[in-house]
Amino acid sequence: MALPDRKAQSPDRKALAKAIEDLLLASGAELDAETRETPGRVAKAFIEDLLDGYGQDPVETLKSSLVPAPRKGELVIASQIDFHAMCPHHLLPYKGTAAVGYVADQWLVGFGKIAEATDALAHRLILQEQLVHRLCESVMAALSPLGAGVVIAAEHGCMQVRG
């Protein structure tokens, strides 16, 4: 099932930092010398590293460097693509590796662009299963291959921390 791409809006760093501060205080934490700067650091991490994928289009990323395929039916596999993502249920990170394969029809794309497309999707609130489907759909939409597949293996913070 395809997820609709939402319209990217500019993150509000100040509002996010305030929300993090409120979260910390509501959980009973104190903002002392060790944690006074934590809300700003967390807001920066969310905006720049963890949820920056909303402003990127994985299909356009893949389309940006298409080259003609020399042979129709060639199997292309990009593996060991490291990624990190955020669980939408617990707001905890997970990390893993992806393997993206496709059977070329008219177009090939560089492995770096496949990694960029992976990050564009992974840097959103997304379940691992949705990441697999969305990445495969993006490859199909951008390259129109004869077929595509994605395999992901990940370690989930929510399972490690929460049991």
Side-chain angles (χ1 to χ4, degrees):
M1 175 175 97
L3 295 176
D5 281 322
R6 72 177 200 139
K7 190 82 167 169
Q9 45 185 318
S10 297
D12 184 338
R13 188 180 298 245
K14 186 176 177 181
L16 183 55
K18 175 67 172 127
I20 298 299
E21 179 180 321
D22 291 345
L23 173 75
L24 292 172
L25 293 173
S27 67
E30 294 180 17
L31 294 181
D32 56 19
E34 291 294 318
T35 57
R36 186 176 302 117
E37 302 300 321
T38 298
R41 285 193 292 268
V42 172
K44 181 179 189 223
F46 268 69
I47 290 169
E48 296 179 9
D49 301 318
L50 299 172
L51 296 179
D52 60 320
Y54 288 110
Q56 303 168 36
D57 181 341
V59 174
E60 291 306 314
T61 297
L62 291 166
K63 284 183 174 182
S64 71
S65 67
L66 295 178
V67 296
R71 290 180 303 279
K72 183 176 182 171
E74 183 175 349
L75 177 61
V76 178
I77 300 174
S79 63
Q80 299 178 338
I81 300 169
D82 292 326
F83 73 91
H84 62 83
M86 291 286 287
C87 169
H89 295 158
H90 302 102
L91 293 183
L92 292 172
Y94 62 96
K95 65 179 184 171
T97 58
V100 178
Y102 64 93
V103 179
D105 185 12
Q106 295 180 331
W107 304 107
L108 297 176
V109 68
F111 288 178
K113 291 298 178 182
I114 294 173
E116 285 181 41
T118 302
D119 280 346
L121 290 166
H123 292 190
R124 303 174 184 196
L125 295 175
I126 190 166
L127 293 172
Q128 179 176 331
E129 297 84 356
Q130 292 172 335
L131 179 56
V132 168
H133 293 294
R134 293 291 305 277
L135 187 51
C136 193
E137 290 168 357
S138 295
V139 169
M140 291 298 292
L143 293 130
S144 299
L146 301 174
V150 175
V151 176
I152 287 179
E155 297 177 19
H156 292 256
C158 52
M159 291 180 72
Q160 293 172 334
V161 173
R162 300 190 75 240

